[in-house]
Amino acid sequence: MDSILLRGGRVVDPSQNLDAIGDVLVEGDAIAHAGSPLGEVRRDGGLMVIDCAGRIVAPGFIDVHCHLREPGREDVETIATGAMAAAAGGFTAVCAMPNTDPVTDNQAAVGFIVRQAQRAGSARVYPIGAVSLGQRGDSLAEFGEMVGAGAVGVSDDGKPVASAQLMRSALEYARTFNIPVADHCEEPTLAKGGAMNEGVVSARLGLKGIPSEAEEIMAIRDILLARRTGGHVHLCHMSTRGSVELIRWGKDRGIRVTAEVCPHHLSLTEDAVEGYDTNAKMNPPLRTADDVEALREAVRDGTIDLVATDHAPHHYDEKERAFSDAPNGIVGLETALAVVVTHLVVPGIIAWPLLVDRMSTTPARVFGLQGGTLRRGTVADITIFDPAVAWTVDPDTFLSKGRNSPYRGKALTGRATCTIVGGRVVYGDGRREMGDGR
Amino acid sequence: MARTLRRMADEIVERFSGTEDLILVGIQRRGVQLAERIAGYITEREGAIVALGALDITLYRDDLQTIGPRPVVGKTDLPLSLDHRTVVIVDDVLYTGRTVRAAMDELADFGRPARIALAVLVDRGGRELPIHADIVGKRIQAPSELRVDVLIREVDGEDGVVTVPREGEG
Amino acid sequence: MNSPVLGKDLLGLETLSAEQIRLILDTAGPLKEISERTIKKVPALRGMTIVNLFFEASTRTRISFEFAEKRLSADTVNVGAAGSSVSKGETLVDTARNLEAMRIDMVVIRHGASGAAKFLADRIESKVVNAGDGTHEHPTQGLLDLLTLRDRLGDLAGRRVCICGDVLHSRVARSNLWGLKKLGAEVAVCGPRSLLPNAIDEMGVKVFDRIEAAIEWAEALNILRLQLERMQGGYIPSLREYNRVFGVTRERLDRAPRDIIIMHPGPMNRGVEIDSDVADGPHSVILDQVTNGVAIRMAVLYLLAGGRPEGG
Ligand SMILES: [Zn+2]
Ligand SMILES: [Zn+2]
């Protein structure tokens, strides 16, 4: 049995309140030890020793929201390239949204993703099934069949579940399988034709705005339906202060609502749209500094449960358009950790254990996934990252096929150096200096 | 300067035998005031009002691409038909001749004068085109490193002719 | 070679300084006279090629630009891309590449997407003049409105101008707003709140909910065209009610404490945002706007064409 010894890192595992310099020992695909320094370790099989001095060793990051484009747009991303990009960003697992072509709305489509991910052999990829057949918003997809094939949740992301009645049914029906219903909160008539946040910047640029209320109306609708049904609603990519307040209201009442926020909504404002930069176009749109502040605070106090990327690669040509004609979305897998470090840890809003909690432990718990812990005997999904390295984002070096990043040329801090999935190193060699360039 | 302008006025009247059909067209900017003053002297001498016009040749220059536009275009104001008249172009300094060529191009767009003549206060030599002045106030041989400027009290507060070194002109 | 006074392109008035705006207006003044000559043409832009790239049909603006170009002796090519089967975005990027290959000097672009002129300007070396981009800006219209007002009122500092109507969807409104504010005018808007940007209060303008109050305050009204689609879009209930509540009518103007200059960028919906006897009345400067449009466009093209200012 092969073993890996992660020697001398700062071991941060909020699932066991662990934050100390020490060692982690992996045997086969499981964790044998995490915490105190081990003396000399001898093994009969192969032993790989990775020097983790100056690094943080954490349970593997989990991204519960990304778009891998396969099947349908393999020119833009594939499950294999997406999984490799995830690993390069320190993610040991990602959840793939079902808005592919065809839509992941049945057992066979879910099985296809599982098989492609196994073949890729990089980060784990968990399929999320569609709420409605073809994501058309009419009738429920077969949750049970999809869960049986490996789906870990349902969502019509890309668009909202517009019908309140369908959302109600989904929340009720999902209870049988104990899976979350993840909703893209957007009141369609208010958001129609919108290209950015509604405010003074949209008024100046002459772009149709999407008001905060488009998100907040659906957020509170979903929270109220969760209260009515007892189902678990997961609110995707929250972007406004109002949403935070509504979620807090729901949680205070014990309603089963969880929520995610994307790194870009924690770091950028609508000002990034200035000059009509299509890499600052996403849905929900970048909001105001006040919203960013509220979201950061919500990550700290747990109102927002977790950070997810909404990684959405697009072909270069598709973003090379007039702003209103360009598609929404940016790639995020390979910058997420650094954006959170730079904008939340460095300014002192959250400490390392909370970062690990929001990117690993809580995502695992919310979606009922393995990992998210370094407890002895659990699966050896581990992220090792350099918390202090400064680097400049160059999307041309991304392993993702997507290059559409608003962080191009930005200086960020913190980067994954090694990613271990099921006891196997899938990214990094453990001691490569990860400064600028790769 | 008054004496020179008065002499130029005399020469114009003698040369074109009177003031009938005569129009003095000053080139923006200082040529316009010089033309007005010459017209004043002619009126003193002949008791007749002389027709006046102003010409801005900015849009007729052949060097827009090399020197760029002047930020503000002056006014071209030619009140009467030019056909069959004697047009005397009045300018402050005659140098390369390019300004005068542009002025003639522009005049041609306004009509067909019987005759076009040129009166300048200062001829400093250095022609690049086959153009000569009919009436000259004063001749100076100035080397090309020097710029010859005419000052007039309406624009500059005083009358005079000054020679200054060129700085960074194209 | 970029213009020393305007830079490479004219994309909007928000990014121009008061001095640059004054310079364009001062240049346009004398250029008006060229249109009065028998030979309405000067050789200033001889040898330059200008492409008029109109992705949206706009006869008035295109003709005005064409007149301006011809009066300056430029060679012009009209490209109308409206109705093309290719989607708007693809056409724009392909067009940019094609134009680049043809070595033209200037492009005048009208496009339905906000930011389209900047998109093109960022991608080609030729100079770009924005002839209206989506609901963003229409700088030459803004400039001609400023010139028209200045002809009547002199210095615009402290003058009170109200922009009336569908400010939300109007590029004319935005260019006017920035231009007027830069020249020191007091600016107000008046219209149903459903046709004003929600953030209008943060844009440094007064807001009048009633046209009567605007008329009492203003020295000039710039009355925007009401797009008839706004009714289907649910922004207003009917044209009839719009005229009742917001229409600039003779009766309303008669109650004004002063004569008010009436402007309209055209084309007008008579009997909707403006009544005929107002449009054709003694204080209407709507036809002056058209005349000034050619002069302003000549000034912009001329100033953009050159290199350094004030040669020997
Ligand atoms: Zn979404
Ligand atoms: Zn998404």
Side-chain angles (χ1 to χ4, degrees):
Chain A
M1 190 163 63
D2 285 349
S3 303
I4 306 174
L5 177 61
L6 308 176
R7 177 80 89 180
R10 178 173 171 182
V11 183
V12 177
D13 178 9
S15 76
Q16 4 177 23
N17 283 322
L18 186 60
D19 180 4
I21 305 288
D23 296 342
V24 172
L25 182 65
V26 174
E27 287 185 338
D29 64 357
I31 290 168
H33 169 89
S36 53
L38 297 169
E40 196 179 337
V41 176
R42 294 186 152 280
R43 285 292 180 279
D44 294 338
L47 174 70
M48 178 198 279
V49 180
I50 297 176
D51 177 8
C52 294
R55 305 269 155 91
I56 289 177
V57 180
F61 298 152
I62 298 169
D63 181 12
V64 300
H65 187 149
C66 66
H67 299 269
L68 299 186
R69 305 301 187 207
E70 184 180 352
R73 286 302 304 271
E74 292 83 354
D75 59 321
V76 169
E77 193 82 287
T78 63
I79 289 166
T81 58
M84 286 193 299
F91 291 99
T92 53
V94 298
C95 298
M97 282 295 178
N99 61 335
T100 46
D101 183 15
V103 169
T104 312
D105 62 358
N106 60 72
Q107 180 187 29
V110 169
F112 169 78
I113 292 167
V114 170
R115 281 194 306 281
Q116 288 297 80
Q118 274 163 359
R119 190 173 302 162
S122 187
R124 300 175 196 278
V125 178
Y126 298 110
I128 289 179
V131 168
S132 64
L133 282 176
Q135 293 193 313
R136 284 187 298 272
D138 303 325
S139 49
L140 291 180
E142 292 174 335
F143 294 6
E145 295 284 303
M146 294 193 293
V147 168
V152 298
V154 288
S155 179
D156 271 356
D157 184 59
K159 45 189 158 182
V161 178
S163 155
Q165 175 56 40
L166 187 73
M167 188 65 185
R168 174 192 173 147
S169 297
L171 285 166
E172 286 169 334
Y173 189 66
R175 288 190 64 175
T176 304
F177 313 100
N178 200 24
I179 50 167
V181 180
D183 196 21
H184 167 117
C185 294
E186 178 184 1
E187 202 291 309
T189 61
L190 275 177
K192 189 173 173 215
M196 68 172 297
N197 183 46
E198 178 173 321
V200 72
V201 181
S202 69
R204 279 182 33 242
L205 294 178
L207 292 171
K208 184 156 184 348
I210 301 173
S212 319
E213 289 75 11
E215 174 173 305
E216 292 154 3
I217 286 168
M218 291 303 252
I220 193 62
R221 181 203 74 170
D222 288 351
I223 292 167
L224 293 173
L225 291 174
R227 179 175 71 174
R228 167 61 53 186
T229 60
H232 173 188
V233 70
H234 178 75
L235 306 180
C236 298
H237 43 56
M238 290 289 99
S239 71
T240 77
R241 176 180 287 276
S243 295
V244 169
E245 285 165 5
L246 296 169
I247 295 161
R248 197 171 282 139
W249 180 89
K251 287 190 165 178
D252 285 349
R253 279 152 189 78
I255 298 167
R256 289 180 74 196
V257 54
T258 55
E260 70 190 33
V261 63
C262 303
H264 44 272
H265 290 125
L266 291 169
S267 57
L268 301 172
T269 68
E270 59 186 350
D271 292 342
V273 177
E274 207 76 52
Y276 301 96
D277 182 358
T278 56
N279 283 329
K281 185 176 180 185
M282 60 280 285
N283 188 9
L286 297 173
R287 306 281 188 184
T288 67
D290 179 61
D291 295 307
V292 171
E293 190 195 311
L295 292 164
R296 288 177 179 175
E297 175 57 24
V299 169
R300 195 191 61 75
D301 72 16
T303 305
I304 298 276
D305 298 83
L306 58 96
V307 174
T309 65
D310 200 5
H311 176 81
H314 288 290
H315 193 268
Y316 170 80
D317 271 356
E318 294 171 313
K319 280 282 192 183
E320 186 69 357
R321 290 183 184 182
F323 196 86
S324 52
D325 298 333
N328 287 306
I330 59 165
V331 291
L333 287 169
E334 289 166 84
T335 50
L337 169 64
V339 171
V340 175
V341 170
T342 307
H343 292 277
L344 278 89
V345 180
V346 171
I349 297 163
I350 62 171
W352 296 111
L354 219 47
L355 174 137
V356 174
D357 180 81
R358 305 300 188 245
M359 294 186 72
S360 173
T361 308
T362 299
R365 181 170 45 77
V366 168
F367 277 73
L369 309 174
Q370 59 181 344
T373 179
L374 296 176
R375 228 182 299 261
R376 184 187 166 87
T378 60
V379 67
D381 286 4
I382 302 170
T383 297
I384 303 160
F385 64 96
D386 184 334
V389 64
W391 59 293
T392 304
V393 179
D394 176 6
D396 298 333
T397 65
F398 285 169
L399 299 189
S400 166
K401 288 190 181 185
R403 301 285 177 264
N404 47 311
S405 169
Y407 299 104
R408 179 184 288 274
K410 293 248 162 66
L412 298 175
T413 301
R415 200 169 196 183
T417 57
C418 180
T419 307
I420 297 172
V421 174
R424 211 164 53 81
V425 173
V426 296
Y427 173 76
D429 59 11
R431 197 76 217 189
R432 187 149 48 125
E433 291 312 321
M434 305 296 286
D436 282 0
R438 225 186 269 218
Chain B
M1 186 180 289
R3 193 147 32 89
T4 313
L5 291 174
R6 197 180 288 275
R7 183 170 51 73
M8 290 171 71
D10 291 345
E11 273 186 56
I12 287 170
V13 175
E14 279 153 27
R15 189 148 188 163
F16 304 112
S17 12
T19 58
E20 211 180 319
D21 292 334
L22 188 65
I23 174 164
L24 303 187
V25 174
I27 296 181
Q28 295 277 19
R29 298 171 59 191
R30 291 175 182 76
V32 176
Q33 284 79 19
L34 292 176
E36 281 167 11
R37 287 207 225 165
I38 292 171
Y41 293 131
I42 294 176
T43 305
E44 267 178 38
R45 177 190 149 128
E46 300 289 305
I49 305 287
V50 185
L52 274 170
L55 204 57
D56 184 279
I57 53 101
T58 312
L59 299 167
Y60 283 78
R61 295 180 73 113
D62 58 6
D63 50 5
L64 175 69
Q65 287 306 298
T66 48
I67 65 152
R70 293 156 185 252
V72 178
V73 178
K75 209 168 165 53
T76 287
D77 187 11
L78 295 169
L80 301 158
S81 161
L82 301 180
D83 292 358
H84 315 302
R85 301 181 66 127
T86 297
V87 173
V88 180
I89 297 172
V90 180
D91 203 3
D92 51 357
V93 180
L94 176 60
Y95 181 29
T96 62
R98 289 182 190 274
T99 302
V100 176
R101 185 204 60 83
M104 289 193 290
D105 285 352
E106 183 161 14
L107 285 175
D109 282 349
F110 282 86
R112 189 179 182 284
R115 170 163 193 192
I116 300 179
L118 174 62
V120 295
L121 184 64
V122 177
D123 179 352
R124 57 159 293 179
R127 220 75 76 239
E128 293 170 3
L129 294 173
I131 279 170
H132 80 278
D134 302 279
I135 289 146
V136 178
K138 192 171 178 180
R139 286 181 208 277
I140 307 177
Q141 277 306 326
S144 61
E145 313 86 70
L146 295 181
R147 208 176 70 210
V148 178
D149 285 348
V150 167
L151 307 180
I152 55 169
R153 58 171 188 274
E154 294 91 326
V155 177
D156 308 295
E158 55 172 341
D159 285 346
V161 177
V162 293
T163 312
V164 289
R166 256 168 220 288
E167 349 93 26
E169 268 188 66
Chain C
M1 192 162 45
N2 288 351
S3 161
V5 283
L6 293 185
K8 177 176 165 287
D9 313 296
L10 178 70
L11 302 179
L13 297 193
E14 191 184 1
T15 48
L16 289 191
S17 67
E19 292 70 53
Q20 288 172 312
I21 292 173
R22 283 199 194 94
L23 178 79
I24 298 170
L25 302 185
D26 291 346
T27 305
L31 292 176
K32 274 197 251 185
E33 174 264 328
I34 291 171
S35 304
E36 310 295 323
R37 298 182 187 177
T38 327
I39 295 179
K40 297 177 179 54
K41 199 174 175 111
V42 294
L45 299 190
R46 197 157 50 194
M48 296 196 99
T49 308
I50 302 180
V51 173
N52 298 317
L53 185 61
F54 276 62
F55 288 87
E56 279 184 340
S58 165
T59 316
R60 296 164 152 258
T61 304
R62 207 203 66 229
I63 287 178
S64 182
F65 267 105
E66 254 188 280
F67 269 127
E69 291 153 4
K70 297 215 152 103
R71 283 176 191 174
L72 293 172
S73 303
D75 296 322
T76 67
V77 180
N78 289 321
V79 182
S84 155
S85 61
V86 198
S87 89
K88 279 186 278 181
E90 285 163 358
T91 310
L92 191 52
V93 71
D94 288 344
T95 308
R97 289 181 190 138
N98 288 336
L99 289 173
E100 194 69 304
M102 286 189 287
R103 302 181 190 288
I104 46 151
D105 298 291
M106 261 193 245
V107 181
V108 175
I109 178 177
R110 157 67 63 96
H111 196 284
S114 300
K118 178 169 167 40
F119 181 94
L120 189 66
D122 288 346
R123 282 160 185 77
I124 62 174
E125 276 178 41
S126 320
K127 293 149 197 214
V128 173
V129 179
N130 183 5
D133 62 327
T135 55
H136 176 225
E137 283 224 44
H138 190 355
T140 56
Q141 177 73 44
L143 289 163
L144 74 89
D145 289 343
L146 292 175
L147 183 62
T148 309
L149 278 172
R150 212 177 65 163
D151 286 349
R152 292 289 169 130
L153 296 173
D155 185 3
L156 295 182
R159 297 304 192 141
R160 299 186 304 277
V161 182
C162 185
I163 304 166
C164 304
D166 184 4
V167 176
L168 182 63
H169 301 96
S170 173
R171 49 193 169 214
V172 177
R174 281 170 184 74
S175 289
N176 260 274
L177 198 153
W178 304 129
L180 287 164
K181 282 174 64 82
K182 293 205 174 179
L183 295 190
E186 283 184 54
V187 186
V189 299
C190 176
R193 290 280 178 161
S194 53
L195 291 177
L196 300 182
N198 190 247
I200 190 75
D201 298 316
E202 294 165 59
M203 294 173 84
V205 300
K206 255 180 137 58
V207 182
F208 289 109
D209 284 308
R210 309 295 308 206
I211 190 74
E212 293 83 358
I215 287 171
E216 193 177 327
W217 174 85
E219 294 170 89
L221 298 182
N222 197 345
I223 304 159
L224 303 170
R225 172 179 166 78
L226 185 75
Q227 304 283 342
L228 303 182
E229 310 84 271
R230 298 301 166 233
M231 226 175 10
Q232 289 92 306
Y235 292 94
I236 53 161
S238 71
L239 299 181
R240 204 174 72 105
E241 175 156 310
Y242 187 88
N243 182 258
R244 285 260 175 96
V245 183
F246 291 99
V248 178
T249 61
R250 184 77 271 149
E251 302 74 63
R252 287 190 168 126
L253 286 180
D254 283 345
R255 271 179 249 125
R258 67 187 74 77
D259 289 340
I260 296 181
I261 297 168
I262 300 295
M263 303 203 291
H264 192 298
M268 286 182 275
N269 298 306
R270 289 167 182 265
V272 182
E273 71 268 7
I274 186 167
D275 277 4
S276 272
D277 49 359
V278 173
D280 306 328
H283 306 299
S284 164
V285 294
I286 294 169
L287 290 175
D288 298 349
Q289 287 175 276
V290 178
T291 311
N292 285 341
V294 177
I296 278 290
R297 287 166 183 130
M298 287 172 77
V300 165
L301 297 171
Y302 172 70
L303 289 172
L304 273 182
R308 294 184 291 115
E310 196 66 49

